[in-house]
């Protein structure tokens, strides 16, 4: 005779199975209703084309309905078998089921939501964290497709513990699945600005490892996009800086293929005290940003680079001195003349700060703030005159150099007349000097 506890467990298991198959039945019935409606519409159109074709059209519709019903029957059987294999099969069967779920998840969002409602996510998460490469690949690929286009599914994947179950040691990550892993992390990182925020950022070292070891630019771009999503929340800056991401992002910004997303992430980090300090302390700064200002074929990168330079130069005489020594003024003048409207605006503002550096009276708004000197001091007057003379000479030389460069480029392209008119209309009065 069976004990009460065993009877209770059998009843619970049976109840779960009934609910499971009831959901599948409702889904298939709704799908069949839609298809029958579409078939009826096609039949009505055919009816209006002429009475002499009526019998032929009816026969065609009946054949189509029968074929569709047969296909639905086969789909229902396959659907039930797939989910059952994933829940109750051995590991080999689970892999086959995961691949089948991947195909089903490609149909539309409704199918993806139904699949997750059937409780497949925890099983796929356990497969994604498996040390067996084929099993891990099947689980990750299915999760990537299930997460596509639905925040609810992404939240369910996070709740299933995917971020905590990802490999703690980097040896578990092989090259065959790094792209899928980066794609999944990118998808989940989009939750940071939703009502389902990420509870942990422990996966940042894994993102860093994938970025450093992977040679494919698409995979690197996925990693950078995930880091950018995380950087949009200021509270995440501390964890990102502590993980040593700033030097990696600076190196990535020097590569034109992935520079834009790296610069955007650095821009978000630079508005925090910890992020700004980490960028300032790098030996690559400010030279790397000044080099990017010369990328005429990458206007967005120019805009982001001069934005970061503005943040670094603001109220920092040390950074402005480093920038001046690195030759930023001629490059900024070229951006003012040839850059995008936004880059021009930012470059002119930065140039104005360098001009104000030598003035004794500063504006109360943004820009470098320098101490005021007594006007009666002969020493201060002499220094001010020498400074103004030096700055005027520097500006004149820079303008001449840039005009020569611009004229040379224009002549090579056969547009010297247009460029000469631009140079003539752009005098030193239009610049912030």
């Amino acid at each position: 005779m069976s004990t009460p506890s065993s009877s209770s467990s059998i009843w619970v298991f049976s109840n779960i199975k009934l609910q499971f198959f009831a959901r599948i039945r409702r889904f298939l019935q709704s799908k069949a209703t839609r298809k029958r409606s579409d078939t009826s519409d096609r039949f009505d159109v055919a009816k209006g084309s002429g009475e002499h074709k009526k019998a032929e059209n009816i026969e065609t519709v009946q054949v189509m309905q029968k074929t569709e019903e047969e296909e639905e029957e086969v789909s229902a059987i396959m659907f039930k078998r797939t989910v059952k294999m994933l829940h109750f099969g051995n590991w080999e069967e689970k892999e086959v089921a995961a691949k089948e779920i991947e195909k089903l998840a490609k149909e539309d969002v409704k199918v993806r939501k139904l699949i997750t409602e059937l409780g497949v996510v925890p099983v796929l998460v356990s497969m994604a964290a498996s040390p067996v490469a084929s099993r891990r690949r099947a689980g990750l690929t299915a999760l990537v497709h299930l997460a596509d286009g639905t925040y609810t599914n992404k939240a369910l994947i996070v709740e299933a513990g995917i971020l905590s179950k990802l490999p703690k040691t980097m040896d578990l990550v092989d090259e065959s699945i790094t792209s899928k892993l980066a794609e999944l992390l990118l998808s989940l990182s989009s939750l940071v600005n939703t009502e389902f925020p990420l509870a942990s950022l422990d996966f940042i070292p894994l993102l860093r490892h994938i970025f450093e070891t992977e040679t494919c630019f698409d995979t690197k771009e996925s990693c950078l996009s995930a880091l950018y999503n995380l950087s949009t929340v200021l509270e995440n800056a501390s964890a990102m800086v502590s993980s040593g991401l700033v030097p990696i992002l600076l190196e990535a910004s020097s590569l034109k293929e992935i520079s834009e997303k790296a610069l955007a992430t650095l821009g978000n980090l630079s508005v925090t005290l910890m992020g700004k300090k980490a960028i300032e302390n790098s030996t690559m700064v400010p030279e790397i940003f000044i080099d990017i200002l010369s990328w005429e074929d990458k206007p967005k990168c120019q805009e982001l680079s001069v934005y970061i330079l503005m943040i670094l130069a603001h109220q920092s005489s040390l950074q402005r001195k480093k920038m001046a020594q690195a030759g930023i003024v001629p490059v900024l003048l070229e951006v003012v003349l040839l850059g995008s409207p936004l880059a021009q605006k930012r470059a002119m503002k930065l140039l104005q700060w360098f001009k104000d550096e030598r003035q004794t009276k500063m504006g109360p708004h943004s820009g470098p703030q320098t101490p005021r000197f007594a006007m009666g001091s002969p020493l201060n007057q002499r220094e001010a005159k020498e400074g103004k003379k030096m700055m005027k000479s520097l500006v004149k030389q820079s303008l001449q150099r840039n005009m020569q460069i611009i004229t040379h480029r224009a002549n090579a392209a056969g547009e010297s007349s247009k460029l000469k008119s631009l140079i003539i209309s752009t005098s030193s009065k239009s610049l912030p000097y």
Side-chain angles (χ1 to χ4, degrees):
M1 184 174 180
S2 60
T3 62
S5 62
S6 62
S7 300
S8 176
S9 63
I10 292 172
W11 183 85
V12 170
F13 179 72
S14 301
N15 188 40
I16 292 173
K17 289 183 69 176
L18 285 172
Q19 291 178 353
F20 165 67
F21 288 113
R23 285 178 178 175
I24 295 179
R25 192 179 299 110
R26 284 198 300 270
F27 168 71
L28 294 172
Q29 285 174 349
S30 65
K31 193 173 181 181
T33 303
R34 289 200 307 269
K35 287 192 175 181
R36 279 196 293 271
S37 176
D38 294 341
T39 304
S40 299
D41 293 341
R42 289 196 296 270
F43 173 67
D44 290 339
V45 173
K47 184 178 179 181
S49 63
E51 291 295 331
H52 63 283
K53 292 185 178 180
K54 184 176 180 180
E56 182 181 347
N57 289 336
I58 292 175
E59 185 178 352
T60 303
V61 169
Q62 288 176 344
V63 172
M64 289 173 64
Q65 287 178 338
K66 186 176 180 181
T67 304
E68 288 174 355
E69 288 174 0
E70 289 176 353
E71 289 177 354
E72 289 169 8
E73 225 176 289
V74 173
S75 298
I77 295 172
M78 290 294 296
F79 198 82
K80 292 177 183 178
R81 184 185 302 170
T82 299
V83 178
K84 186 177 179 181
M85 281 173 58
L86 187 70
H87 279 291
F88 310 111
N90 55 37
W91 284 115
E92 287 74 17
E93 291 174 335
K94 288 179 187 293
E95 287 184 30
V96 175
K99 293 176 182 178
E100 190 62 34
I101 286 175
E102 174 195 342
K103 296 177 183 178
L104 293 170
K106 292 179 180 179
E107 291 187 13
D108 55 44
V109 175
K110 289 183 179 180
V111 174
R112 291 194 282 273
K113 288 184 176 180
L114 173 68
I115 294 174
T116 54
E117 287 176 2
L118 297 175
V120 302
V121 170
V123 183
L124 293 173
V125 167
S126 64
M127 293 178 65
S130 170
V132 181
S134 60
R135 195 177 305 161
R136 186 166 61 246
R137 189 184 304 107
L140 281 172
T141 306
L143 288 173
V144 166
H145 290 288
L146 286 177
D148 184 27
T150 161
Y151 285 112
T152 304
N153 284 5
K154 294 174 185 179
L156 289 173
I157 293 172
V158 172
E159 287 178 4
I162 182 68
L163 298 180
S164 60
K165 292 179 180 179
L166 287 173
K168 302 299 180 185
T169 57
M170 300 309 164
D171 294 338
L172 288 176
V173 182
D174 58 83
E175 293 182 0
S176 61
I177 63 160
T178 51
S179 60
K180 289 298 177 185
L181 187 53
E183 195 175 343
L184 178 61
L185 291 175
L186 168 59
S187 181
L188 299 180
S189 70
S190 63
L191 290 173
V192 291
N193 289 311
T194 68
E195 57 184 311
F196 312 108
L198 299 176
S200 172
L201 298 178
D202 293 339
F203 62 94
I204 290 180
L206 181 59
L207 266 177
R208 172 183 172 174
H209 172 78
I210 296 174
F211 180 83
E212 290 181 315
T213 56
E214 186 61 40
T215 56
C216 176
F217 277 117
D218 289 338
T219 304
K220 286 181 177 289
E221 185 75 23
S222 296
C223 293
L224 287 174
S225 298
L227 292 173
Y228 171 76
N229 288 341
L230 297 179
S231 71
T232 57
V233 178
L234 297 182
E235 290 78 6
N236 295 337
S238 177
M240 297 180 69
V241 174
S242 300
S243 299
L245 289 175
V246 169
I248 296 170
L249 291 170
L250 287 170
E251 290 181 4
S253 64
S254 65
L255 303 173
K256 286 189 175 183
E257 293 85 355
I258 55 177
S259 178
E260 184 175 327
K261 197 62 71 174
L263 287 169
T265 307
L266 286 170
N268 289 337
L269 293 177
S270 66
V271 299
T272 66
L273 182 61
M274 192 173 182
K276 181 181 178 183
K277 189 171 292 187
I279 296 172
E280 288 176 343
N281 293 337
S282 173
T283 57
M284 293 183 280
V285 176
E287 287 80 5
I288 190 169
F289 298 126
I290 296 174
D291 290 341
I292 294 172
L293 291 180
S294 63
W295 293 359
E296 296 178 9
D297 57 332
K298 293 285 184 178
K300 186 65 176 178
C301 293
Q302 285 183 323
E303 295 169 2
L304 291 167
S305 182
V306 72
Y307 170 74
I308 297 172
L309 287 168
M310 287 178 67
I311 294 175
L312 298 179
H314 180 61
Q315 294 186 344
S316 175
S317 58
L318 176 61
Q319 290 300 317
R320 293 194 298 275
K321 182 179 179 181
K322 289 172 65 176
M323 293 176 191
Q325 291 174 347
I328 192 174
V329 173
V331 182
L332 287 175
L333 287 168
E334 187 171 348
V335 173
V336 168
L337 293 172
L338 299 175
S340 66
L342 181 57
Q344 288 178 347
K345 183 178 179 180
R346 290 173 175 174
M348 289 182 69
K349 185 66 175 178
L350 197 49
L351 281 170
Q352 182 67 42
W353 292 356
F354 281 100
K355 174 187 174 182
D356 292 345
E357 186 75 22
R358 293 291 178 178
Q359 292 182 348
T360 58
K361 186 177 180 180
M362 304 298 300
H365 57 283
S366 62
Q369 306 295 319
T370 59
R372 299 171 184 256
F373 297 101
M375 294 303 294
S377 171
L379 180 62
N380 289 334
Q381 289 180 357
R382 186 167 60 253
E383 288 180 352
K385 288 181 180 179
E386 290 177 356
K388 287 182 179 179
K389 185 177 180 181
M390 183 183 71
M391 287 299 293
K392 287 181 179 179
S393 175
L394 179 61
V395 172
K396 187 177 180 180
Q397 292 175 6
S398 300
L399 278 172
Q400 290 175 350
R401 175 179 172 274
N402 280 279
M403 287 179 181
Q404 290 173 358
I405 294 173
I406 295 166
T407 305
H408 176 72
R409 291 176 181 171
N411 288 335
E415 298 180 357
S416 65
S417 60
K418 182 179 177 181
L419 193 58
K420 283 178 182 177
S421 64
L422 172 64
I423 296 173
I424 291 170
S425 63
T426 308
S427 66
S428 59
K429 294 181 181 179
S430 67
L431 297 175
Y433 285 89

